[in-house]
Amino acid sequence: MSRNLKLSQANFALFVVIAILGCCGKVHAQYKSIFIPYSTVGFGVGTSNYYGDMAAYSRPLASTFKMMRWSVGANYARHFTPRLGARASFTWARIAGDDFKMNNAPKYQTNILFARNLQFRNDLKEFSLQGIFNLIPDNRSYDRRPQFGAYLFGGIAMTAHNPKTLYVDADGNKDWVKLQKLGTEGQGNEGYAKPYSLVQFAIPVGIGLRYKINARFDISAELGFRFTSTDYLDDLHGNYADPALFTNDPVAFALSNRAYEPTSVKKGKDRIPGLKNFVQFNYNIPDAQDPFSEMQAQGFAAPGSGRGNSPTLNDSYLTGMIHLHYIIPSQVKCPPLK
């Protein structure tokens, strides 16, 4: 009985060994016909652009190039099939807007955006999870991927933001002031909206082109557009608030309405000639010597009048980045026999 049991155990062990060897042989035989998943890590630098109340969609070239800023990012990606992958990304991007810079040309000085004279910058910290679809599929292993590739991506993101504007006090000292806590449109007061959140959802979508440098490195160029869940990346959405709300906060009072400042926010350039054009065109007053008095008489920037110019559209932003990717290959090995 004991001898038969030992024979059975030996036969079973032999069967397991043969099965393992057969499995390894099958893996090696199929190695050329299956895709081996691999991972990459990447770092990128590039540009960023904002679209919203200070950068209209109706002027795409000006909105894209006049206020271009910087972006940096890092990501980890996993490629599961020749066409499908996923990645986790972190992006830090600065966006900015300036009514004066966007509208100082004579043909645009007649619109309310020039007269409004608002300005901001915002450093966005975005964490996203994205799916990747390769338009040109990979080959069976990372080192045999195509020399050139193109891909689409899309996913979800959370973006932390905090808009600021440049403020010059009575002594001429300049400082970048955080706007959300000031409630520049009356947020947080009775009869006004709640303060907006400094963390928002976004939907990133985009396209990329990839070039294989060697077996372990790729370089890529990407354009990624973000649809956001807020219209307050620029601290600008609704109507002018009652100035009485800011009686005890002179900074909030000054920054809630900058239409009556004689110079531009960022560069301190003279606005008076442009405001004379604004008054002449909008109020038919050709010889206005004091455009501020005429604007005030016409109720410009009065409480309850429009401060934001696209109340139905949320803000968005675009990044253009060059990434360097390092490939972390996956190894397929047979288990060692002992």
Side-chain angles (χ1 to χ4, degrees):
M1 180 73 176
S2 175
R3 185 167 177 267
N4 291 336
L5 181 59
K6 289 180 180 180
L7 286 173
S8 298
Q9 291 175 337
N11 290 336
F12 178 76
L14 180 61
F15 171 79
V16 171
V17 170
I18 293 172
I20 291 174
L21 291 174
C23 178
C24 288
K26 186 176 181 181
V27 167
H28 283 289
Q30 293 183 348
Y31 182 83
K32 295 183 179 181
S33 62
I34 65 172
F35 177 78
I36 303 172
Y38 65 94
S39 301
T40 67
V41 291
F43 174 78
V45 296
T47 62
S48 65
N49 306 88
Y50 139 86
Y51 304 93
D53 295 274
M54 296 187 208
Y57 292 104
S58 59
R59 297 175 60 195
L61 292 179
S63 297
T64 299
F65 295 107
K66 275 185 174 289
M67 298 301 299
M68 186 177 289
R69 293 296 184 266
W70 53 263
S71 62
V72 296
N75 61 70
Y76 168 82
R78 181 69 172 171
H79 298 266
F80 300 107
T81 76
R83 286 196 183 271
L84 298 178
R87 70 181 178 186
S89 298
F90 174 77
T91 301
W92 183 8
R94 173 168 292 177
I95 59 173
D98 189 322
D99 280 338
F100 181 84
K101 186 171 183 178
M102 285 290 296
N103 301 284
N104 191 37
K107 66 179 294 186
Y108 295 112
Q109 288 175 346
T110 57
N111 68 45
I112 63 171
L113 307 184
F114 176 82
R116 185 176 61 186
N117 194 40
L118 293 177
Q119 178 268 346
F120 86 103
R121 80 178 188 193
N122 199 343
D123 287 350
L124 312 177
K125 287 88 170 179
E126 172 198 281
F127 177 77
S128 66
L129 296 175
Q130 303 169 10
I132 301 170
F133 178 77
N134 291 318
L135 298 175
I136 302 174
D138 279 341
N139 289 323
R140 59 183 177 270
S141 61
Y142 76 93
D143 56 333
R144 300 188 182 187
R145 64 194 183 280
Q147 192 72 42
F148 293 92
Y151 55 93
L152 306 174
F153 63 88
I156 58 172
M158 293 193 68
T159 301
H161 74 110
N162 202 349
K164 301 177 182 179
T165 193
L166 189 63
Y167 173 66
V168 183
D169 64 20
D171 297 322
N173 299 314
K174 296 182 178 181
D175 189 23
W176 286 95
V177 177
K178 297 177 181 178
L179 291 166
Q180 188 257 12
K181 63 182 181 181
L182 300 180
T184 53
E185 293 182 354
Q187 297 98 329
N189 291 284
E190 185 177 355
Y192 291 87
K194 296 179 180 179
Y196 55 86
S197 174
L198 296 180
V199 179
Q200 298 287 341
F201 286 102
I203 300 176
V205 295
I207 187 169
L209 299 174
R210 178 196 57 78
Y211 175 75
K212 176 183 175 182
I213 300 175
N214 56 36
R216 291 296 183 90
F217 286 95
D218 284 347
I219 190 169
S220 68
E222 280 188 7
L223 280 177
F225 193 85
R226 273 72 170 177
F227 300 91
T228 76
S229 58
T230 182
D231 192 32
Y232 281 111
L233 293 183
D234 47 18
D235 188 64
L236 181 58
H237 170 72
N239 298 326
Y240 286 97
D242 186 345
L245 297 176
F246 310 116
T247 302
N248 298 321
D249 191 340
V251 176
F253 177 83
L255 299 182
S256 64
N257 181 0
R258 310 192 77 164
Y260 296 97
E261 294 183 11
T263 59
S264 65
V265 176
K266 189 75 179 294
K267 300 293 185 179
K269 293 185 177 181
D270 185 13
R271 298 178 62 233
I272 301 302
L275 289 174
K276 288 181 178 179
N277 290 338
F278 173 81
V279 169
Q280 179 179 347
F281 181 84
N282 289 279
Y283 307 136
N284 196 25
I285 305 175
D287 57 348
Q289 298 302 309
D290 183 1
F292 293 133
S293 296
E294 303 296 346
M295 290 165 60
Q296 193 167 21
Q298 297 294 331
F300 186 86
S305 63
R307 186 172 184 262
N309 65 310
S310 58
T312 61
L313 292 175
N314 287 340
D315 297 331
S316 56
Y317 57 101
L318 173 75
T319 59
M321 301 185 74
I322 302 295
H323 287 93
L324 180 67
H325 305 271
Y326 172 73
I327 286 79
I328 307 171
S330 298
Q331 302 295 333
V332 177
K333 296 182 179 179
C334 291
L337 299 177
K338 296 182 179 179

